[in-house]
Every structure is written in structure tokens, then in C-alpha cells.
Amino acid sequence: MWDYTDKVLDHFRNPRNVGVIKDADGTGQVGSLACGDALKLTFKLDAKKQRIVEAKFQTFGCASAIASSSVLTELIKGMTLEEAARVTNRDIAERLGGLPEQKMHCSVMGREALEAAIANFRSGKTDKKLLEGKVICTCFGVTEEEIERVTRENTLTTVEQVTNYCKAGGGCGNCKKDIEIIIERVRKEREAAALNQAKPKKLTTLQKIKLIQETMDREIRPMLQRDGGDVELIDIVDNRVIISFRGMCAQCQVAEVTMKDVVEAKLREFVEAGLVVEEEKQ
Ligand code: FES
């Protein structure tokens, strides 16, 4: 018997918001019955298409999959899409008072379904989350990007932990060497970031430009590209970073929110706290 918290048991025994919204604005479907877990998440936005007013789920899985999905629907109600896009699997697990480590993949599945539903609203593309990037674990169809992400977001250090969070490595085991390489890469990144933070130093103009471009390529552009958008660095004038949105982002009604909450927030986190991001004037 797993050591579940009272909150997990409550959401499992009394799941909230079960079902499918018929005229949903966004639908995300992830997992597969063959892998033992599947989740369909639907949400409805308000009249201005800004905030989530309703969310429902259908899931096939264990108690923690049901509890994670149920709490997720409560968590995102009232959020803007930008706020919902920043929800991590840790937020879901924390809202449940924690999950057994072997069950963390249920919280990851919730976050993936939410991302797929947001992408479905923004791009109108298929509600199935398509595999993007190089598949590392063919047994469970887990990509390099996904392994890197759960490792980074949850500070994972072993293959066993990665398996608990996204199932990669939990089948034939042929992918374990590749998973180790990814863990090592993320560990080095983490150490470099910690070193940078420990020794704050004034960046030269050239260093600042390089770091801004690197941060955009590593932290920001992949996030926007997942929804069919993109962003380009146009110029840097003192602390002002001038950008131009591309693809879906260029037509997005909430591009200004993305600019502040995603682009500016990431650049402040990874480059300098005083940076201000502005869109190029046409
Ligand atoms: S390829 Fe990853 S467990 Fe088989």
C-alpha cells in the first residue's frame, strides 16, 4: 500500500471535475492505455479568452493519477493561460501534500496534458501531444527534451528517479546510459548556474549580449516553439532588450503578457534583474 497523504486520498475518493467539456477551448490528451496511464484534460475560457473558467478530466490510472488530475483542474481554474503554462509537476504534487516518488510520473502526466491543451487552444492543432525531438526511451516514447525537463525541474540525480518521474528507463533498460548522460549534462548546467549566482559580477556588453541570446535559445524559444511561435532578438540598448515575435506569437492577443511573464522573467532570472523587454516598433 502506498503512503498517500490525506489530500491524495480525498481527491482519489471524491475526484473533482470529472468528465469532458463538450465545447472546450482546449483539449489535451496524453499517455496511453498500453503504458498504463492516460489522461484527457479539457478547459473552457471566459468570454475574453483570457482566464480558465472550467476544467474537466478523464483519466485511466492509479489513485495518484486520479488525484493529480483532479487537483490540477482545481489549480488552474481562474488562471490566465500564461499562468497555467507555468504550472509544473511540482506544483501539482505540492498541492496534494506530496506524492510517493515512484508516483511522481502522475504529476508529470498532468502537466503534459495541460501543456497539450494550451497548445491545442493556441495552435488549433491535434489534441494529441505529439512526440517532439529525439526519442530516448522507445519503450515508453519519452524524448530527450522531456527527460531533460523533469531532471531540471525536479533536481533529479539518478536514473531511478527519472524512471519514477517519466517512466523512461522502466522497461528494457536500453536507454539507461543515455539517461545518465542527460542527468550529467543537467548537473553541470546546475553547477554552472550556482557558480554564476554565487559570484555576481558586472557583465561586459559583449557578455551580456551573448548571455541574453543563449538564454533565449535555451529557455525561451523552445517554450514558444512548442506552441508554434518564436521570438527573435533585435537589439539591446543599455538595459532594454528589443525583441520581435514570430509565428503564432506574432498574432497572439496576449503577446504582451508572454513578453513580460515569459521573456522578461527568464532574462531577469538568467541574465540581469534590471532588464526590460520591449517589442520592436513597426
Ligand atoms: S528503451 Fe527505455 S526502458 Fe526500454
Side-chain angles (χ1 to χ4, degrees), residues 155-204:
T155 327
L156 307 184
T157 54
T158 66
V159 174
E160 193 185 348
Q161 285 179 314
V162 169
T163 306
N164 289 335
Y165 277 70
C166 65
K167 295 193 173 181
C172 68
N174 285 347
C175 58
K176 287 187 174 180
K177 271 267 158 279
D178 290 333
I179 297 175
E180 272 170 13
I181 292 169
I182 296 171
I183 291 172
E184 182 58 13
R185 189 164 69 219
V186 175
R187 188 187 65 74
K188 282 187 180 155
E189 265 178 35
R190 200 162 38 232
E191 279 179 4
L195 214 61
N196 271 347
Q197 278 195 341
K199 291 192 233 158
K201 51 177 192 238
K202 183 118 180 69
L203 297 170
T204 64

Side-chain angles (χ1 to χ4, degrees), residues 135-142 167-176 179:
V135 174
I136 297 290
C137 178
T138 49
C139 287
F140 290 99
V142 190
K167 295 193 173 181
C172 68
N174 285 347
C175 58
K176 287 187 174 180
I179 297 175

Side-chain angles (χ1 to χ4, degrees), residues 24 44 52 72 86 95 137 149 162 197 217 240-242 247 265 277:
K44 185 99 193 117
I52 295 172
L72 174 64
R86 289 199 299 274
R95 187 88 171 200
C137 178
R149 188 166 173 184
V162 169
Q197 278 195 341
D217 291 344
R240 290 165 54 225
V241 180
I242 319 295
V277 176

Side-chain angles (χ1 to χ4, degrees), residues 68-114:
S68 294
S69 312
S70 169
V71 86
L72 174 64
T73 58
E74 288 196 328
L75 180 65
I76 60 174
K77 243 191 251 181
M79 282 186 175
T80 62
L81 284 181
E82 284 63 38
E83 287 165 344
R86 289 199 299 274
V87 168
T88 66
N89 74 287
R90 289 173 74 96
D91 297 327
I92 298 170
E94 277 168 17
R95 187 88 171 200
L96 288 168
L99 281 170
E101 185 150 277
Q102 296 88 335
K103 293 289 177 183
M104 284 300 285
H105 61 89
C106 298
S107 62
V108 174
M109 186 169 71
R111 193 256 296 146
E112 285 181 343
L114 176 59

